[in-house]
């Protein structure tokens, strides 16, 4: 029940199961830190929030939610647990568009590469670690409790995991231990965590234009060689199915910060070429409901939108509602799938299907705002104070 394979994991081939061990997250807030470092002859852009990225993040999350409710292979099978009959028979037009919503995952990965590089520039490894913890865990912990409560209250749709596996999910490391996810969408967290671990090595040496470019080239080369090496550990670390999306985001951020050049365009072009291949493989092995040409077109349009953001074409796009949109993305992504499809299962015979999908998504948007306001913000503040104190104590003990 993974998002990349959320609808077909039990029958995936081995290569796709490895892919399923990966795990939107959607990236952090889009505020660029200051630094004095820049390549000679390149113009540094002023610090500002990139509001357009917040809008893209929410759009990607809505694509994924709509896909899970009305566009997956699982939902289009006779007798499926969500609608009980093929969703393409119930709302064919919605299904046709929703079948491409899975591309929101790849969009998340590209945005993550961009925003992680932006938010880590000029920070120490300790600051990087603290920022990741306070961003990822509060909403994630709540989502586990919420989803488990829904499964207890409304049984018979999805199988509830044993308590010991639910508890291990709180670490966010369950995929590395071979334990299933409370909600299938958590697989992207595993992919994100591996990206963070690799990028931490660059952060520890101090981010520069040259180091990030070298990191992109080396990681990309290893990711291409890992599948033919037949070394599971190398594939796990290199993350060949997701690496080039993160690399695209890193190259786009370097364009934003230092200006475009042929090398960065080359990295981005290679990421597009590798991405279009992965999109086709995912359609063949997991999704089965959408076409390669349409998927590549959507992904290409998104990359062009990111290029426009990176080069400053969207600098005039502003609005507090976009900040709110960005804040809703992560909680919405974490909570929508298992709980949302369970609600649809209970209400499918008493409401129009289109109205039901809109109502469920609207309900989760409201819930996501409540989680952000009353869970993420206060818990993140408490965690930051505690971790800062702990690291200060560790530093003092070392001296």
């Amino acid at each position: 029940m993974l998002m990349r394979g959320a609808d077909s994991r039990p029958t995936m081939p081995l290569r796709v199961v490895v892919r399923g061990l990966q795990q939107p997250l959607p990236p952090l807030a889009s505020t660029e830190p200051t630094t004095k470092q820049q390549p000679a002859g390149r113009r540094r852009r002023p610090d500002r929030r990139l509001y357009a990225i917040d809008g893209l993040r929410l759009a990607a999350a809505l694509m994924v939610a709509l896909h899970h409710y009305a566009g997956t292979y699982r939902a289009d099978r006779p007798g499926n647990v969500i609608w009980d009959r093929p969703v393409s028979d119930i709302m064919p037009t919605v299904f046709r568009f929703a079948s491409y919503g899975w591309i929101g995952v790849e969009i998340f990965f590209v945005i993550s590469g961009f925003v992680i590089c932006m938010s880590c520039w000029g920070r120490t490894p300790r600051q990087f670690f603290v920022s990741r913890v306070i961003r990822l865990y509060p909403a994630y912990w709540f989502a586990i409790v919420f989803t488990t409560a829904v499964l207890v209250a409304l049984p018979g749709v999805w199988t509830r995991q044993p308590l010991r596996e639910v508890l291990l999910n709180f670490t966010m490391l369950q995929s590395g231990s071979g334990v299933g996810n409370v909600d299938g969408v958590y697989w992207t967290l595993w992919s994100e965590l591996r990206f963070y671990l690799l990028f931490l090595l660059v952060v520890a040496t101090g981010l520069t234009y040259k180091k990030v470019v070298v990191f992109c080239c080396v990681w990309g080369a290893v990711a291409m060689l890992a599948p033919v090496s037949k070394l599971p550990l190398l594939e796990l670390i290199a993350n060949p199915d997701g690496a080039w999306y993160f690399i695209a985001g890193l190259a786009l951020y370097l364009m934003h910060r230092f200006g475009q050049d042929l090398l960065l365009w080359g990295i981005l072009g290679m990421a597009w070429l590798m991405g279009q291949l992965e999109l086709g493989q995912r359609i063949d092995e997991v999704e089965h409901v959408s076409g390669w040409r349409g998927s590549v077109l959507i992904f290409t349009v998104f990359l062009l939108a990111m290029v426009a953001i990176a080069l400053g074409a969207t600098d005039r796009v502003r609005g507090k509602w976009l900040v709110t949109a960005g804040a809703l993305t992560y909680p919405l992504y974490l909570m929508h799938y298992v709980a949302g499809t369970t609600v649809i299962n209970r209400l499918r015979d008493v409401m129009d299907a289109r109205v039901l999908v809109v109502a469920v998504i609207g309900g989760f948007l409201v819930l996501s705002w409540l989680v952000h306001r009353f869970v993420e913000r206060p818990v993140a503040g408490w965690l930051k104070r505690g971790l800062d104190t702990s690291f200060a104590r560790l530093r003092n003990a070392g001296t």
Side-chain angles (χ1 to χ4, degrees), residues 233-354:
L233 181 60
L234 183 60
E235 287 195 65
L236 179 67
I237 295 173
N239 188 10
D241 292 314
W244 281 100
Y245 298 114
F246 293 114
I247 290 171
L250 294 174
L252 285 163
Y253 177 68
L254 292 180
M255 285 187 183
H256 168 72
R257 189 177 191 88
F258 300 112
Q260 58 183 310
D261 60 38
L262 185 59
L263 180 58
L264 295 180
W265 279 110
I267 294 173
L268 188 61
M270 180 64 75
W272 182 89
L273 291 171
M274 297 301 294
Q276 62 82 28
L277 178 64
E278 193 274 340
L279 293 175
Q281 291 172 341
R282 179 169 170 181
I283 292 169
D284 294 341
E285 299 168 357
V286 181
E287 299 300 338
H288 309 298
V289 291
S290 48
W292 173 80
R293 288 181 177 83
S295 301
V296 172
L297 176 61
I298 293 171
F299 180 64
T300 302
V301 169
F302 160 72
L303 276 186
L304 292 175
M306 285 297 297
V307 169
I309 293 172
L311 299 182
T314 63
D315 288 352
R316 293 185 179 181
V317 176
R318 298 177 180 274
K320 290 185 178 180
W321 71 270
L322 287 170
V323 179
T324 302
L328 298 181
T329 303
Y330 186 40
L332 171 64
Y333 175 79
L334 291 175
M335 295 186 296
H336 80 273
Y337 182 50
V338 168
T341 51
T342 299
V343 172
I344 290 174
N345 171 273
R346 290 296 193 269
L347 299 178
R348 66 193 180 197
D349 296 325
V350 299
M351 293 181 65
D352 176 80
R354 297 166 186 79

Side-chain angles (χ1 to χ4, degrees), residues 142 146 328 331 335 362-373:
F142 178 87
F146 171 76
L328 298 181
M335 295 186 296
F364 274 105
L365 286 171
V366 174
L367 178 60
S368 297
W369 183 85
L370 293 173
V371 171
H372 171 69
R373 177 64 181 84

Side-chain angles (χ1 to χ4, degrees), residues 9 17 20-21 161 165 168-169 171-181 190 236:
R9 182 177 182 181
V17 171
L21 290 177
Q161 290 178 284
E165 295 186 3
L168 186 62
N169 268 248
T171 68
M172 205 181 286
L173 303 175
Q174 63 274 8
S175 292
S177 302
V179 172
N181 300 297
W190 182 236
L236 179 67

